[in-house]
Structure formats: C-alpha cells, structure tokens
Amino acid sequence: MSILVDKNTRLLVQGITGREGTFHTNQMIAFGTNVVGGVVPGKGGQQFDGEKGSVPIFDSVREAAEATGANASIIFVPAKFAPDAMYEAADAGLPLVICLTEHIPVLDMIAVRSYLDRYNTKLIGPNCPGLITPGEAKLGIIPGNIVMPGTVGVVSRSGTLTYEVVYALTQRGIGQSTCVGIGGDPIKGMDFIDVLELFEADPNTSEVIMIGEIGGNAEEQAAAYIKQNMTKRVTSFIAGRTAPPGRRMGHAGAIVEGKSGTAEGKIAALEAAGVQVANNPDQIVEMIAR
Amino acid sequence: MNLHEFQAKRLFAEHGIPIPRGEVAYTPEEAREVTRILGGKAVVKAQVLTGGRGKAGGVKVAQSPDEAQANAEAILGMQIKGLTVNKVLVDELAPGIRQELYLSALIDRGQRQPMIMASAAGGMDIEEVADKTPEKIHIVHIDPTLGVRSYQTNYLAKNMGLPRELWGDFNKIVSGLYDCFKSNDASLTEINPLIITGEGKLMALDGKMSIDDNALSRHPRLAEMRDLEEEPPAEAEARQAGLTFIQLDGNIGCMVNGAGLAMATMDIIKLYGGSPANFLDIGGGARADQVATALRLILSDPKVEAVLFNIFGGITRGDEVARGILAALEQIDTPVPMVVRLAGTNAKEGLELLAEADMMTAATLSEAAQKAVAAAKAARESGRAS
C-alpha cells in the first residue's frame, strides 16, 4: 500500500518526445511504471519506441485517456506551454496530474490551480521531482535506485535534498511507502497538509518525514494540522537556517520576507506540535532509526 | 527582479496613478537643471535597490536649484546598505502632505490569490504596522477573473477613514495599481506613501515594484530595465550562465545541485562551525562548462578558504560535474583546499575522474562539511604561519 501512485496507475506522458520526456519515460518504464501513452500535439498515431517498451502517441490528452484508460498524467513541457498542458489534463478528467516544469510564472499558476480545483484534479508540482512508490511505480525523476519498499512516508518541497534523505534511509535499510516531492514554487498543487492527510490514512505508512524550507507558511500550517490530526510520528528538517532575509534562495518560494518564512519560526511551530526536527539531513535517519 | 522607484512610478503613471513630475539625474548639474525646470523646488532621492534610503540620508528636500545640486552632490556616490548611489530621482515637491497612506498589490500564497493591502498608517515600515497594530491593515482578495470591484475599494476606503469625496479617485488608483501588477507579472507593486496632498488629491509619492523573474521572458521591456550596476558582477555572470549564485560573507564556498540541498549544505557548514561564502545552485543537468564557470565565481571571492562540492546526481551526472571541476582547475591555479562529495547518478565515474586531482572526498554530507571546515581552518592557520 502507498499513497497516490501504485501498480494500478496508468500513466500518460505529456511531452513524451522531448529530451527530458524521452529520457525519463524510459527510466519510469524501467522502474515498472505502467506508462500507457504519450501526448504530443501533431504527432498522434506515431509510436514512442523506448528502450524498455513502446507506447502509442496521441494528439490530445482526451483522446489518449479514452483510448488507454489512463488515470494520471505527467508533464514534461516547457514553462510557456505547461499551463496549457495542465488545463488539458484536467479537462480530460484525469484525477492526478504531475507537473515537473520549472519557471512557470506565479500568476499563471494562480489561474491553473483555481481551474484544476473545479475539476477535483489533484496536482503535484510544478517545479517538483514527482513521486515514487518503491517496488510499484514512479511518476517523475526521483532516481529509482535510491529507494526501497517500506513504511516511511516522505514529503518534501525540495528535489535533491529529498534524494539525500531517501538515499540515507535506504542505506540504513529503512524502506519508504511513498516519497512525494511537492515542489518549491509559491503556488502549487498539493501542499504538505494534503499529503500528510493521505499518509495518516494509509495503513502501510507507519511514520512520516517532512522536509521543508524557508519561505511561505506551509510548514506552520502543517504543524497545526499535525497537532490536531496526526497520530503517526512526524520527523522534519527545514532547510535555509543560514539564508539571509530578502534574498530568494533558488526556489521561487524560498525567501524570508520580513519576519515571515524564517526557519526558526517553522522549527518552533513544528516542535510545538510534537514533531522532532533534525539539525541536519543526516540526523533525520538517526531519529527515524530510534 | 526589483525595479527602482522611478521605474515603478513611471509604470504606475501608465495605469493612471498620479505621480509627481520628475526626472532622473546622474550628475549634480543635471539635478540642478531638473529642479529649475520643475519650478525651483524639488526633492532629491537616491535610486538604489534597497529600503531605508531616507534614514541613510539619501532623500533631501531642496528649496532652490543650487540646493538641489548640493543635495545631489552629497547623495551621488553615497553607500546605502553596501550599494553605491549612482543616480537620483529629482521630483517636484508635493503640494503639501495632509495624510500618508499605504497601498499595495501582492500575492497571498495561502489564499492563492492576489490581494490588495491598504492602511491609513502610511509612510512607515508596513511590516512594523502589521506587527504592532494589525487592526490598521485592511485586505481584500482579488479574483483574477473579476479584477478589482468597486465595493472592495469602498470597503478599504471606509476602513481607512478616507473622506468620501476621495473614494472615486481611490477606486481608480487601486484598480490602476492592480492592472499594473497583473499586466507586468509583478510579485509586488507598492505605494508608500500614497498621500492626500494639501489640495486634497491622492498622489503616489514613492513606489516599489518587483517582477516575477519567471515572467521576464514575456516582458522584454521590463527585462531591459534591469540595473546591471546594482547586481554584483559575480551574480550577473552566474545568471547569464544559468546558475543561481548569491554572494554571502563566509569562508566556505559551496557548489550544490538543487536549491533545497544547497540551503541544507550551507546550514550544515554553519552547524560544524564554518560559514558559507555563497549560495550556489548549478541546477539540474548542469554541463561541465557551467560547473567550470561556477567554480571560477566561487574562487573569485578572496574570503573563500575552502570549497565544498555536494552533488547528488539525479538528472545531473557526477562525471559531467567532475569534468567541469577539472576544466576549471586547468585554468585556475589555486591553493584553496577542496572537498568533494558525489552521490547518485554516475558518482563513481565522477570520483574516478577526480582521483588524479588533489581533492578530499567524503561519503556523506556531514563528513564533507566537517572536512571543509577543518580544511579552511588549516588553510587559515598555515596562512598566518607563513
């Protein structure tokens, strides 16, 4: 068991013929993900011949969903076209959409999120590494060789920092139920609370790691949610303690503005909610192993 | 990207917001001439991309062209929070100030909507107002499909205690500010203060505007407004190379892939007693030439006593990073000790390539940070000894 993605996920890849789309479709198929089709406007009827399997390409998500019974879509298209790809996936009725694209303007994402909410389409991202259920399926770019099946749920705003933590867990023989990278943009799809809620309800997740960073107040909101609703142990790490205020630290969402968004504030809120907060990523594993 | 006051106010004016007449001057003589044209009185304002200009003495009122020239003389070349002033805005004096208000448009991340924030407590630091007297801040959220509605601006005007005869003009200013925000893909448009003049009219006396960097590609006119003089040269070079680089004041240079991991690497350096010299994210899938540029930038900072590479390969490949490091080291002869930690995709190949170079390696992030801090300390001590 797991959350959001498993053996029954039937995945479409929007932008399957691009450089990233091709490379990662091969990686996903190799991992065991059931990729059922690709979508590239103008290339319908062609075939994606990957290293590990061949899948049909369609002109539209709607056509592809009807022909394949897809229930999820992953987006590998440039920022200029990504909002359109998300609208299209929601319009076609897909319940889960993952957008890896970075550099989508904030005002575009406000419109996208508001539209997707009308369809009850769950969005992960943008600017995220996707998610992976070890032993079952991966939707995105999290390296398949650093995970192992188990019961620790991982949710994170960062990409490579997630790899760091997951890899350390695996090396210690601690497996994961599902790892979800929600992305570092200020306006996105699923946030910490949405994922924590799923982990809390998932019988095969025994505890949760939440990796946050400076900026916004999603960690503070998560802390309030954890205090009220979570019975499972939560361990956390917040990146950016040394970040100077007013400077955007790479992610569009990672900025300390005035008094809001500081690492100290987030850590205090989490500790007050009974979450154990690690001083450094390596320490998370020690805390979980205890 | 942040805009200067004069740039922001010009954009406001395009959306019907009243601003003082004024012109930018680069020399004291120009400031004098502008003041003469404006009728002999003016305010001379330093144009630097930071707050606190007034407190630093960067804003001075002149009662004559001569005084404006003297003011500009004093302000040009001045340092404000580490930035050198190389231009001033010379604005006509407002016809009296009856009241100072605050008005801004920005994104509410939690509500996932733009919002308008307004207060009758203008002219001061709005964060402080929000902190100490939150009841003086009034907020309405804007549905992008509806835009600003008049009932919303009336609500703000009423709560700010604006005289009824100004509600109509206030509505136009709020709508204009929101249009300016939206059409320019801003993350902030702020008027502080928005004043009621001695003649009872509303006017934007100061302006601030930040543009969403991700949207600059569809606003070539705004992209051209970037003030290259205000950007540290290393950061500008990094940006052009597709890297995110922020200069800090520590002693350990870091090169990392991914923003979250880069921040975590900085934090852990601090945890082990060092201090990061920079934030540097080489991004996903960095090529060798980008890595070489990044290393050159790190080493151009004389404060750097050690360099820590922390690369967790996903899209990024360890061997590609190693090639970049080697390429950079061929061009630069440096005594600075380096610690490399490679994990993930092609890490083994990368480490094999680096075996020839004189670098320390580490298996974990903690180990890498401790080695880098120790190496910096040793380098400093041997520097003192020699």
Side-chain angles (χ1 to χ4, degrees):
Chain A
M1 267 288 288
S2 54
I3 64 166
L4 295 164
V5 47
D6 57 26
K7 287 195 289 284
N8 301 317
T9 302
R10 299 173 63 77
L11 183 69
L12 292 178
V13 180
Q14 291 177 256
I16 196 169
T17 51
R19 193 171 66 105
E20 301 292 335
T22 300
F23 179 79
H24 289 289
T25 300
N26 280 321
Q27 297 274 313
M28 289 190 285
I29 295 173
F31 189 79
T33 310
N34 187 11
V35 178
V36 295
V39 178
V40 181
K43 291 192 181 172
Q46 297 181 19
Q47 201 74 12
F48 171 83
D49 288 311
E51 294 157 9
K52 303 270 177 175
S54 172
V55 296
I57 299 175
F58 300 87
D59 283 316
S60 71
V61 178
R62 190 159 151 183
E63 245 181 287
E66 279 167 9
T68 65
N71 55 16
S73 167
I74 189 158
I75 294 168
F76 284 101
V77 306
K80 203 174 165 184
F81 309 106
D84 215 55
M86 288 184 270
Y87 289 134
E88 189 186 353
D91 237 359
L94 294 181
L96 180 64
V97 177
I98 295 106
C99 182
L100 276 72
T101 310
E102 60 178 340
H103 302 312
I104 301 176
V106 171
L107 290 178
D108 288 5
M109 273 317 299
I110 286 180
V112 168
R113 174 66 202 261
S114 139
Y115 189 79
L116 263 59
D117 283 350
R118 276 195 255 157
Y119 282 90
N120 287 320
T121 296
K122 283 198 172 80
L123 171 70
I124 296 179
N127 191 16
C128 78
L131 66 167
I132 188 164
T133 294
E136 301 205 18
K138 83 160 179 168
L139 277 55
I141 61 173
I142 298 176
N145 57 353
I146 62 168
V147 300
M148 69 179 272
T151 64
V152 177
V154 179
V155 57
S156 172
R157 259 168 82 182
S158 148
T160 48
L161 178 54
T162 316
Y163 308 168
E164 180 85 47
V165 172
V166 170
Y167 181 58
L169 287 173
T170 297
Q171 281 192 317
R172 285 286 289 265
I174 304 168
Q176 309 90 38
S177 55
T178 301
C179 308
V180 186
I182 58 174
D185 276 12
I187 307 291
K188 53 174 162 282
M190 297 187 81
D191 218 322
F192 283 127
I193 293 181
D194 306 305
V195 180
L196 289 171
E197 196 176 350
L198 297 176
F199 277 137
E200 174 70 16
D202 175 34
N204 277 42
T205 297
S206 59
E207 63 179 304
V208 181
I209 295 173
M210 178 178 123
I211 302 164
E213 62 188 31
I214 53 164
N217 66 348
E219 289 83 1
E220 287 87 338
Q221 287 173 341
Y225 174 82
I226 291 165
K227 195 170 184 178
Q228 286 287 319
N229 304 290
M230 296 263 315
T231 57
K232 294 176 183 175
R233 180 168 78 164
V234 181
T235 305
S236 184
F237 172 74
I238 304 295
R241 278 188 220 219
T242 48
R247 302 300 308 266
R248 204 170 287 284
M249 304 307 274
H251 284 160
I255 180 169
V256 173
E257 288 162 303
K259 289 191 181 69
S260 73
T262 66
E264 290 72 26
K266 291 172 189 296
I267 292 167
L270 287 166
E271 285 180 340
V275 174
Q276 47 178 0
V277 183
N279 274 326
N280 73 60
D282 290 340
Q283 201 194 355
I284 296 178
V285 182
E286 305 303 320
M287 287 176 153
I288 293 287
R290 269 208 299 270
Chain B
M1 181 184 89
N2 295 323
L3 297 184
H4 282 295
E5 174 194 359
F6 75 93
Q7 296 168 321
K9 285 191 335 201
R10 281 176 192 170
L11 291 170
F12 294 172
E14 288 176 9
H15 292 272
I17 297 171
I19 61 167
R21 289 188 303 146
E23 199 54 65
V24 176
Y26 295 85
T27 65
E29 293 71 30
E30 281 175 19
R32 178 194 171 86
E33 179 58 13
V34 173
T35 307
R36 192 188 60 76
I37 293 165
L38 290 174
K41 291 180 183 179
V43 56
V44 181
K45 307 174 86 175
Q47 298 295 292
V48 277
L49 295 175
T50 179
R53 293 174 299 161
K55 277 185 195 144
V59 179
K60 289 176 192 291
V61 173
Q63 300 297 340
S64 68
D66 280 347
E67 199 182 348
Q69 182 171 354
N71 288 349
E73 189 96 52
I75 294 170
L76 288 165
M78 172 189 268
Q79 293 273 323
I80 300 179
K81 293 188 185 161
L83 295 170
T84 306
V85 182
N86 47 43
K87 52 188 158 295
V88 291
L89 173 62
V90 182
D91 262 357
E92 69 179 345
L93 285 184
I97 298 178
R98 206 178 277 173
Q99 199 187 339
E100 293 189 316
L101 313 165
Y102 172 92
L103 184 67
S104 65
L106 64 162
I107 306 277
D108 183 337
R109 288 169 67 157
Q111 294 290 320
R112 298 182 211 99
Q113 275 189 329
M115 67 178 185
I116 303 291
M117 200 193 303
S119 176
M124 46 187 125
D125 179 9
I126 197 68
E127 298 236 354
E128 210 175 306
V129 177
D131 202 33
K132 289 185 179 143
T133 48
E135 71 281 0
K136 288 188 184 164
I137 305 258
H138 312 288
I139 286 169
V140 293
H141 287 94
I142 308 301
D143 183 328
T145 55
L146 299 178
V148 175
R149 313 308 297 187
S150 58
Y151 75 90
Q152 296 182 299
T153 63
N154 289 342
Y155 165 86
L156 293 173
K158 169 117 188 174
N159 280 288
M160 291 161 79
L162 273 194
R164 284 221 158 90
E165 61 272 19
L166 285 178
W167 288 15
D169 285 348
F170 183 69
N171 174 271
K172 283 185 196 133
I173 289 176
V174 176
S175 299
L177 190 68
Y178 176 74
D179 287 344
C180 181
F181 173 86
K182 196 176 176 199
S183 62
N184 291 302
D185 269 297
S187 46
L188 170 75
T189 51
E190 182 184 76
I191 307 175
N192 190 19
L194 172 70
I195 60 161
I196 303 175
T197 66
E199 294 156 352
K201 299 268 193 232
L202 290 167
M203 179 185 264
L205 218 52
D206 200 348
K208 205 188 222 179
M209 194 159 167
S210 305
I211 308 297
D212 181 352
D213 290 319
N214 287 340
L216 280 173
S217 58
R218 62 188 179 201
H219 299 286
R221 182 175 73 126
L222 296 176
E224 273 176 26
M225 290 185 186
R226 186 187 293 276
D227 189 343
L228 295 171
E229 288 177 344
E230 294 266 329
E231 199 179 21
E235 291 180 18
E237 194 183 341
R239 186 168 48 75
Q240 279 148 16
L243 308 162
T244 312
F245 181 81
I246 297 173
Q247 191 91 56
L248 303 169
D249 49 16
N251 63 335
I252 297 181
C254 339
M255 189 190 302
V256 188
N257 63 324
L261 190 57
M263 284 189 277
T265 304
M266 288 159 55
D267 295 348
I268 202 164
I269 286 171
K270 188 100 176 180
L271 192 70
Y272 287 113
S275 177
N278 64 277
F279 166 93
L280 172 59
D281 173 11
I282 59 170
R287 299 180 313 271
D289 60 309
Q290 290 173 296
V291 173
T293 302
L295 184 55
R296 209 177 55 246
L297 291 173
I298 291 175
L299 292 172
S300 68
D301 176 356
K303 295 191 300 296
V304 169
E305 293 171 329
V307 179
L308 168 56
F309 299 87
N310 184 30
I311 305 297
F312 203 111
I315 293 188
T316 309
R317 290 162 33 204
D319 54 335
E320 191 73 14
V321 172
R323 265 187 276 277
I325 294 172
L326 293 174
L329 291 179
E330 259 173 38
Q331 297 160 16
I332 318 161
D333 184 26
T334 176
V336 174
M338 304 195 186
V339 181
V340 187
R341 189 278 177 130
L342 291 180
T345 312
N346 292 6
K348 198 166 136 274
E349 291 83 345
L351 287 170
E352 278 163 11
L353 283 170
L354 292 174
E356 298 296 307
D358 181 22
M359 302 177 105
M360 285 169 270
T361 58
T364 67
L365 180 49
S366 293
E367 187 193 338
Q370 289 173 62
K371 280 188 173 167
V373 171
K377 191 162 172 257
R380 186 163 57 242
E381 279 162 4
S382 75
R384 271 201 205 110
S386 62

